[in-house]
Amino acid sequence: MKTILLSRSDYIDSIDMISDAKSKRFGENSLAWWDKHFNWKKDKCLVLVDEKEQHLSYLFGKSDRYLEYLTIHNLFTPHIFRKLGYAKELLSQQFDLSMLLNVKRFKFCAVPGALQFYDKLGFIYWGVNTAGDYYCDLPFPKSGLKGVSTMVKNSTNEELVGNKLKTIHKRTKLNGEKMTEAENEQFDKDKNWLGKKYRHNIITEM
């Protein structure tokens, strides 16, 4: 398997081939969001393809001009290709590409439904943002995606936060205060399930 970059028109053609409605809708929403915030001439969609050139998984990510952060904005796999390891492989290849650029940190916001996927990769969260998504902001591991778990295990919270405490505070300061009753119920379940991987209390004490 390898990765390729899709232009806007190529991406539209690609998601038009997705058969299940939910995956296609997510792909369309990702397109609309990217159109609003970024320039397709400079920032394209990274796609994992097989030997038959089938598009297996899609990732929208971007490194800032100073190579301070790799930000993962959207990562999705059409239903027909899920649970086959494609999203993990694509994310791993994105990390490898960013390592070559010496990017210093990475960040992303995980929707509650994606926590189980990301949990297997060793990520931790400093809180939730205003949308109720789980905020991860960590140094870039020297060995790529596979090094996340070891890095988290062998580093102090201060080392993981680095000089980004103010940034993390800003993104997580409400930490669910404006959630509905139903959202709060799910939030409590998610926090209990995450255990020590949910570290908002540590951030507030720094």
Side-chain angles (χ1 to χ4, degrees):
M1 289 181 287
K2 64 179 182 179
T3 56
I4 61 172
L5 290 170
L6 294 185
S7 66
R8 186 179 189 276
S9 59
D10 290 336
Y11 176 78
I12 291 173
D13 289 342
S14 180
I15 63 172
D16 191 52
M17 300 294 291
I18 297 176
S19 57
D20 67 287
K22 187 175 181 180
S23 297
K24 190 170 186 177
R25 184 165 59 251
F26 191 94
E28 291 169 345
N29 290 340
S30 298
L31 170 65
W33 194 91
W34 206 249
D35 281 348
K36 182 177 180 180
H37 295 281
F38 295 105
N39 184 340
W40 277 90
K41 291 183 179 179
K42 296 188 299 181
D43 307 305
K44 296 178 172 61
C45 178
L46 189 70
V47 179
L48 185 72
V49 300
D50 61 14
E51 64 279 358
K52 297 180 181 179
E53 298 296 321
Q54 290 188 103
H55 294 177
L56 308 172
S57 191
Y58 303 78
L59 186 151
F60 286 93
K62 180 176 172 59
S63 298
D64 62 81
R65 62 185 296 185
Y66 302 108
L67 301 179
E68 186 71 21
Y69 274 109
L70 163 67
T71 303
I72 303 298
H73 294 283
N74 279 309
L75 171 64
F76 72 98
T77 303
H79 184 75
I80 191 174
F81 296 129
R82 287 180 189 169
K83 298 184 178 180
L84 296 172
Y86 296 143
K88 179 182 177 181
E89 176 62 25
L90 178 56
L91 188 58
S92 179
Q93 293 204 30
Q94 173 65 78
F95 268 59
D96 289 346
L97 291 170
S98 296
M99 282 173 57
L100 294 175
L101 298 174
N102 294 314
V103 176
K104 300 175 184 67
R105 296 182 68 88
F106 70 92
K107 60 182 177 179
F108 67 92
C109 293
V111 298
L115 288 176
Q116 289 194 14
F117 165 74
Y118 287 118
D119 184 69
K120 298 174 183 178
L121 304 177
F123 297 118
I124 61 170
Y125 307 94
W126 303 117
V128 295
N129 63 11
T130 54
D133 299 333
Y134 291 76
Y135 183 66
C136 179
D137 183 327
L138 293 169
F140 217 95
K142 294 180 180 180
S143 55
L145 184 64
K146 64 183 179 182
V148 172
S149 294
T150 300
M151 178 186 71
V152 169
K153 181 180 179 180
N154 295 337
S155 303
T156 65
N157 289 306
E158 288 75 15
E159 288 171 335
L160 294 175
V161 170
N163 64 351
K164 298 302 178 182
L165 182 60
K166 185 176 180 180
T167 299
I168 293 171
H169 266 306
K170 183 177 180 181
R171 294 297 300 271
T172 62
K173 61 182 179 180
L174 291 180
N175 198 48
E177 287 182 11
K178 295 187 177 181
M179 288 183 178
T180 65
E181 184 176 346
E183 288 170 338
N184 260 312
E185 185 177 342
Q186 184 62 51
F187 184 34
D188 288 338
K189 291 179 181 178
D190 289 338
K191 287 188 292 184
N192 288 333
W193 181 76
L194 286 168
K196 293 182 179 180
K197 291 185 177 180
Y198 190 79
R199 303 190 182 185
H200 184 70
N201 62 317
I202 292 170
I203 287 295
T204 58
E205 295 169 359
M206 283 186 178

